C-alpha cells in the first residue's frame, strides 16, 4: 500500500468509528454541512461541475484539532441535499506532507483543475509553501501534478490559498500572503495555460495603498466581478478592534474596486466586514451556470476558543454556513440564503400579525430547534424590539441608538457576549436556526449575523418583546433534517 492509500484507509477507519459517537450529539446540525467526524474548516474548490455543485473542505479526519489537512468532499445537485463523497486529497506527497491546505477549482475542457497549497514544515518547524495543481475527470478522483508555483521573493512562507479564475482569455490567481516586512497582502499571478504562472505583484495590502497597515496576513483571497464592480474578499489577521468593528479574533470581509486584466492593477475602496456575528471566516465564492455568485463560509474563526465547543466531546467540530447568493446594492455586498433552501420547509407556515407595546409574548407554534423565521413589515416606533431564542441568544434592535445586537451565552464561560452593527432602519429579519447555529439575514441581506450557540437541547422556546409600539408579521417553518 502506498502512502496515499494508507492515509485514506486510516482516515476512513477513524471516521467510521468516530461518526457513531458524533451521531449521538444533540448539537449535530440538521441542515448545515458538517464533517462526519473530525474538524472541518474552510470551504475549498466550490464549483458547479458535471451537473453538480461540489464543495470540498478542509478536513482533519483524525481529531477535532488542526493539523495535516485533507480535502473532504460533498456534492449536490440542488444546494440542499448533499452527499458525502470519498476523500478528494490526502496529504501524502512531500510537497503537502503537513496539509493539503485551502484552494479553488476551475473547469477547463471538461476537466476539473484544483489549485491548493501544499503545506510543509521541516524538523525545526520552519514552513514551506507550494501552490499545487491536481486534475480530475469526474470531480471525485484527482491526479496530483505537484507544485506549479514556488514562493516569489519578497514574501514569507505565509503564502497560501490560491483562487483561480478566467478573464479575457487569460487565467488569474490571487494568493493570500505576508510580505517580508510582515504586512498582509493579496498577491496576483497570471497564466496562459494554468501551469506556468507569472507573478504580477500585490493588488491589496502589502504596506501600500488604502490597506497600508492592515494586519500581518491575508488568508483566502477571492476576486470576482459582481454587477459593475470587482470585489476582493479576504480574511485579514492582526486587526485591532475598532468600536463595533473587528470584534472576532480574525476578520472576513471585502473591498470593492476595479480590476484591470491588461495591467493586473486593482484600485479599491475601504474594507468592510461581510458578517457581524461571532463565527464567520474564510468565505469562498463561485459563479454557477445561471450566473449567480454563491458563497459558503466556515462558521468559526481560527484560534477563537475552538476547543471549547461542546461538540468536541462527540468527536466532531465546526460546520459551513448555508449557501448564500451575493448581490451588490449601492456599492454594498448583500447576502441572501439561496432560494433553493425553501425546499427545506416542512408543511405550511405558522403565521401571525403582531402589535406589541411594552410586553413580551410567545406565539403558539413559533418555537423549535431547526426552524426558519421570516419577520417582515417591522416597524419599531421607539425604544427596542427583541427576539429571545431558546434561553441562550437574543437579537435586539434599538430604534433610538439604531444598533442591532446579537447576544449569546458564551460556550466558554456562560457569560453573555455580543456583536453589533449600526442599522439605520430595521424592516425585515430572516432567521435560520439550527440545533446549535443561527444565521440572521437583515433587511434582505444588507447585514448578516452568523453564530454557533449551545442552548439547552430540550429548550425550543422563542419570545418577542418590545419596549414601545412595534408592529411586524411572522412566518415560521420547521425545517427538514438533511444530515446525521
Ligand atoms: C484559513 C486557513 C488557510 C489555510 C487553511 C488550513 O482558515 O488557515 O489559510 O489554507 O486554513 O486549514
Amino acid at each position: 500500500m502506498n502512502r496515499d492509500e494508507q492515509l485514506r484507509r486510516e482516515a476512513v477507519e477513524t471516521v467510521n468509528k468516530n461518526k457513531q459517537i458524533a451521531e449521538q450529539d444533540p448539537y449535530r446540525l440538521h441542515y448545515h454541512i458538517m464533517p462526519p467526524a473530525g474538524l472541518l474548516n474552510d470551504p475549498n474548490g466550490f464549483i458547479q461541475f458535471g451537473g453538480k455543485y461540489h464543495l470540498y473542505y478542509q478536513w482533519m479526519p483524525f481529531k477535532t484539532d488542526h493539523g495535516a489537512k485533507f480535502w473532504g468532499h460533498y456534492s449536490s445537485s440542488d444546494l440542499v441535499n448533499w452527499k458525502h463523497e470519498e476523500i478528494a486529497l490526502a496529504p501524502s506527497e512531500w510537497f503537502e506532507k503537513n496539509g493539503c491546505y485551502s484552494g479553488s477549482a476551475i473547469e477547463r475542457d471538461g476537466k476539473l483543475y484544483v489549485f491548493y497549497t501544499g503545506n510543509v514544515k521541516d524538523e525545526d518547524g520552519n514552513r514551506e509553501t507550494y501552490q499545487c495543481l491536481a486534475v480530475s475527470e469526474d470531480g471525485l478522483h484527482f491526479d496530483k501534478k505537484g507544485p506549479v508555483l514556488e514562493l516569489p521573493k519578497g514574501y514569507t512562507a505565509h503564502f497560501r490559498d490560491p483562487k483561480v479564475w478566467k478573464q479575457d482569455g487569460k487565467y488569474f490567481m490571487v494568493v493570500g500572503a505576508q510580505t517580508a516586512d510582515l504586512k498582509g497582502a493579496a498577491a496576483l499571478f497570471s497564466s496562459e495555460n494554468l501551469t506556468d504562472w507569472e507573478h504580477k505583484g500585490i493588488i491589496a495590502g502589502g504596506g501600500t495603498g488604502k490597506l497600508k497597515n492592515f494586519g500581518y496576513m491575508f488568508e483566502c483571497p477571492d476576486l470576482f466581478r459582481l454587477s459593475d464592480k470587482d470585489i476582493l474578499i479576504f480574511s485579514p489577521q492582526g486587526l485591532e478592534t475598532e468600536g463595533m468593528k473587528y470584534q472576532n479574533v480574525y476578520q472576513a470581509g471585502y473591498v470593492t474596486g476595479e480590476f484591470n486584466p491588461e495591467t493586473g492593477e486593482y484600485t479599491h475602496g475601504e474594507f468592510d466586514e461581510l458578517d457581524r456575528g461571532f463565527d464567520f471566516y474564510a468565505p469562498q465564492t463561485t459563479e454557477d451556470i445561471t450566473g449567480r455568485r454563491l458563497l459558503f463560509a466556515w462558521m468559526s474563526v481560527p484560534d477563537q476558543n475552538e476547543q471549547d465547543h461542546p461538540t468536541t466531546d462527540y468527536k466532531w467540530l465546526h460546520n459551513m454556513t448555508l449557501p448564500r447568493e451575493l448581490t451588490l446594492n449601492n456599492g454594498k455586498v448583500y447576502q441572501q440564503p439561496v432560494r433553493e433552501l425553501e425546499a427545506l420547509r416542512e408543511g405550511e407556515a405558522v403565521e401571525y400579525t403582531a402589535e406589541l407595546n411594552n410586553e413580551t409574548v410567545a406565539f403558539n407554534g413559533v418555537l423549535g430547534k431547526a426552524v426558519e423565521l421570516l419577520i417582515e413589515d417591522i416597524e419599531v416606533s421607539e425604544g427596542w424590539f427583541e427576539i429571545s431564542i431558546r434561553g441562550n441568544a437574543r437579537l435586539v434592535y434599538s430604534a433610538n441608538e439604531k444598533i442591532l445586537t446579537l447576544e449569546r451565552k458564551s460556550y466558554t464561560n456562560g457569560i453573555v457576549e455580543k456583536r453589533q452593527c449600526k442599522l439605520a432602519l430595521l424592516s425585515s429579519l430572516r432567521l435560520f436556526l439550527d440545533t446549535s447555529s443561527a444565521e440572521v439575514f437583515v433587511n434582505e441581506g444588507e447585514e448578516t449575523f452568523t453564530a454557533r450557540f449551545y442552548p439547552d437541547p430540550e429548550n425550543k422556546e422563542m419570545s418577542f418583546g418590545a419596549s414601545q409600539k412595534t408592529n411586524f408579521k411572522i412566518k415560521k417553518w420547521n425545517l427538514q433534517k438533511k444530515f446525521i
Side-chain angles (χ1 to χ4, degrees):
M1 210 187 318
N2 66 29
R3 175 89 186 124
D4 203 73
E5 289 162 346
Q6 191 190 336
L7 272 176
R8 284 167 183 267
R9 177 186 285 197
E10 284 168 15
V12 168
E13 276 173 13
T14 309
V15 169
N16 282 344
K17 188 160 54 91
N18 288 343
K19 77 177 186 196
Q20 292 165 23
I21 303 169
E23 285 164 13
Q24 306 301 314
D25 187 356
Y27 293 128
R28 227 30 210 160
L29 295 158
H30 285 193
Y31 57 90
H32 281 85
I33 287 176
M34 306 166 282
L39 175 147
L40 165 153
N41 56 301
D42 313 352
N44 291 159
F46 183 27
I47 194 166
Q48 195 176 15
F49 169 75
K52 282 199 176 136
Y53 293 96
H54 296 268
L55 185 72
Y56 305 90
Y57 67 92
Q58 285 289 284
W59 190 21
M60 167 41 74
F62 298 117
K63 55 180 181 176
T64 52
D65 203 349
H66 295 273
K69 299 287 167 61
F70 291 59
W71 273 35
H73 181 196
Y74 274 101
S75 70
S76 171
S77 48
D78 58 7
L79 295 167
V80 178
N81 296 286
W82 292 89
K83 175 169 180 239
H84 198 248
E85 303 281 6
E86 67 185 81
I87 290 164
L89 301 173
S92 52
E93 304 292 329
W94 67 268
F95 49 79
E96 59 188 13
K97 76 175 175 62
N98 299 94
C100 297
Y101 272 12
S102 287
S104 58
I106 186 168
E107 180 173 349
R108 190 179 77 177
D109 301 334
K111 289 189 187 156
L112 192 66
Y113 287 66
V114 304
F115 293 86
Y116 64 98
T117 298
N119 183 47
V120 173
K121 282 182 187 160
D122 70 13
E123 306 84 70
D124 307 323
N126 296 315
R127 196 185 276 266
E128 292 165 27
T129 175
Y130 300 94
Q131 310 322 306
C132 304
L133 169 64
V135 181
S136 174
E137 307 262 344
D138 57 6
L140 298 170
H141 307 99
F142 288 87
D143 180 14
K144 288 181 186 167
K145 306 285 184 195
V148 289
L149 190 160
E150 298 215 0
L151 181 62
K153 288 214 169 60
Y155 301 97
T156 74
H158 285 287
F159 188 87
R160 54 179 170 266
D161 313 334
K163 177 86 195 312
V164 173
W165 75 100
K166 191 176 185 183
Q167 192 169 348
D168 293 356
K170 247 208 234 158
Y171 296 102
F172 292 93
M173 178 195 285
V174 272
V175 181
Q178 177 177 66
T179 61
D181 55 356
L182 309 186
K183 307 276 189 202
L188 181 74
F189 295 80
S190 73
S191 173
E192 302 290 338
N193 57 13
L194 288 175
T195 45
D196 302 302
W197 291 92
E198 186 191 342
H199 181 218
K200 306 289 283 182
I202 288 172
I203 54 162
T208 55
K210 279 232 158 63
L211 303 176
K212 203 174 179 161
N213 283 306
F214 211 68
Y216 55 80
M217 174 66 191
F218 290 0
E219 293 191 318
C220 302
D222 185 354
L223 181 69
F224 55 89
R225 193 137 186 98
L226 194 61
S227 298
D228 56 347
K229 290 284 174 199
D230 297 302
I231 311 293
L232 176 68
I233 283 182
F234 59 101
S235 296
Q237 300 190 326
L239 305 186
E240 296 291 326
T241 299
E242 259 180 64
M244 286 181 245
K245 297 199 296 191
Y246 314 152
Q247 293 278 335
N248 292 333
V249 170
Y250 306 123
Q251 278 57 55
Y254 69 99
V255 293
T256 60
E258 309 294 336
F259 175 63
N260 183 335
E262 285 294 307
T263 61
E265 276 163 35
Y266 183 60
T267 51
H268 62 82
E270 302 290 338
F271 179 83
D272 198 6
E273 283 172 279
L274 267 169
D275 192 274
R276 310 296 176 184
F278 297 90
D279 300 294
F280 184 96
Y281 195 74
Q284 187 179 82
T285 73
T286 194
E287 188 183 47
D288 77 355
I289 53 169
T290 66
R292 291 183 298 179
R293 181 56 58 175
L294 304 177
L295 173 147
F296 269 107
W298 175 31
M299 202 188 286
S300 185
V301 176
D303 304 330
Q304 193 169 278
N305 303 322
E306 288 182 71
Q307 293 309 317
D308 294 340
H309 285 272
T311 66
T312 56
D313 294 344
Y314 289 86
K315 309 269 186 207
W316 72 283
L317 185 58
H318 304 317
N319 58 287
M320 295 294 171
T321 63
L322 290 171
R324 303 173 179 189
E325 180 178 353
L326 303 185
T327 50
L328 195 68
N329 293 302
N330 291 324
K332 189 173 164 70
V333 173
Y334 276 48
Q335 297 172 67
Q336 295 258 53
V338 296
R339 59 181 168 274
E340 286 90 332
L341 294 169
E342 289 177 17
L344 285 171
R345 294 171 180 170
E346 244 169 15
E348 293 300 301
V350 174
E351 290 186 51
Y352 291 93
T353 300
E355 182 178 318
L356 302 185
N357 198 345
N358 190 22
E359 62 195 314
T360 297
V361 284
F363 298 96
N364 224 342
V366 179
L367 80 182
K369 298 183 198 178
V371 301
E372 178 188 342
L373 282 183
L374 179 61
I375 305 162
E376 292 178 300
D377 300 337
I378 305 174
E379 285 174 38
V380 188
S381 62
E382 267 184 278
W384 48 261
F385 167 52
E386 66 158 10
I387 306 174
S388 294
I389 305 161
R390 303 180 61 199
N392 185 290
R394 212 163 74 99
L395 197 59
V396 191
Y397 181 62
S398 163
N400 298 351
E401 294 170 295
K402 308 215 173 302
I403 292 176
L404 184 62
T405 304
L406 175 68
E407 291 177 357
R408 72 172 176 193
K409 284 188 188 156
S410 160
Y411 57 75
T412 300
N413 56 22
I415 292 171
V416 174
E417 49 187 356
K418 64 183 179 190
R419 293 289 182 270
Q420 303 187 293
C421 73
K422 276 293 222 189
L423 190 74
L425 184 86
L426 176 66
S427 56
S428 74
L429 290 167
R430 193 160 167 209
L431 279 70
F432 282 84
L433 304 174
D434 205 335
T435 53
S436 57
S437 78
E439 278 165 280
V440 182
F441 297 87
V442 183
N443 297 346
E444 312 208 310
E446 178 184 349
E447 302 290 352
T448 64
F449 285 75
T450 302
R452 295 303 296 282
F453 73 130
Y454 297 99
D456 174 345
E458 296 311 313
N459 187 333
K460 297 182 181 180
E461 286 165 26
M462 263 171 249
S463 63
F464 297 76
S467 65
Q468 299 184 47
K469 188 169 132 33
T470 294
N471 296 316
F472 55 95
K473 288 187 180 140
I474 319 181
K475 282 188 188 167
K476 176 253 163 180
W477 292 267
N478 287 331
L479 300 182
Q480 290 170 41
K481 188 164 183 195
K482 293 290 180 186
F483 292 84
I484 40 169

